[in-house]
Amino acid sequence: MKTPHMLDYLDFDTSDDGEGISSLDAMAYAKAAQWPALAAEVTQLLAWCSDAFGAPGALEEGHAWDLDLQLQSDAGDALALQWDARQRQLLAPQAAQQPALQLSLTLSGPDPFSQQVTEQFLGDND
């Protein structure tokens, strides 16, 4: 068994739609000084998903996984946030100017996808 990557900021809840698609939902709050570490953690996770399953996209269009990324300022304003799967880079141009940020991330895919993500990053083999 591989040792899972440790996650310090993202705490996931898992749900299943009953038709073989699972979602992994996480939220993280970071002050400005913590943003680089949170961004690195998200980058590590999404790079692993991209390496293992290809670029994210709509499951209905044949992609192996999809994601929803959102970023808000401490005041609740939506900020630009994007995963560049080709460059393996998290793009958040306004993040550095914020005193605090809230990130939400949803990963979705067939049950084998979520099982592998769970084993790799959460250490849960259920």
Side-chain angles (χ1 to χ4, degrees), residues 4-124:
H5 293 81
M6 297 304 294
L7 298 177
D8 295 320
Y9 295 93
L10 299 171
D11 185 20
F12 283 95
D13 289 322
T14 305
S15 61
D16 186 323
D17 72 355
E19 297 181 18
I21 302 296
S22 295
S23 293
L24 300 158
D25 300 301
M27 291 187 93
Y29 180 83
K31 295 191 182 219
Q34 299 165 316
W35 171 248
L38 172 56
E41 184 170 294
V42 173
T43 298
Q44 176 187 20
L45 171 65
L46 297 181
W48 182 89
C49 291
S50 294
D51 290 344
F53 296 97
L59 301 176
E60 304 82 38
E61 295 175 7
H63 290 269
W65 69 292
D66 201 359
L67 78 151
D68 179 35
L69 268 173
Q70 296 182 23
L71 188 65
Q72 291 184 333
S73 69
D74 201 28
D77 298 322
L79 303 173
L81 180 63
Q82 179 182 353
W83 171 244
D84 182 340
R86 185 174 301 152
Q87 298 293 319
R88 303 297 193 260
Q89 190 173 18
L90 189 64
L91 305 172
Q94 301 160 306
Q97 295 86 20
Q98 304 300 316
L101 299 153
Q102 181 174 308
L103 179 137
S104 61
L105 169 63
T106 299
L107 303 174
S108 57
D111 290 340
F113 165 78
S114 64
Q115 290 168 354
Q116 287 186 40
V117 171
T118 299
E119 289 173 9
Q120 187 71 26
F121 287 91
L122 308 178
D124 185 355

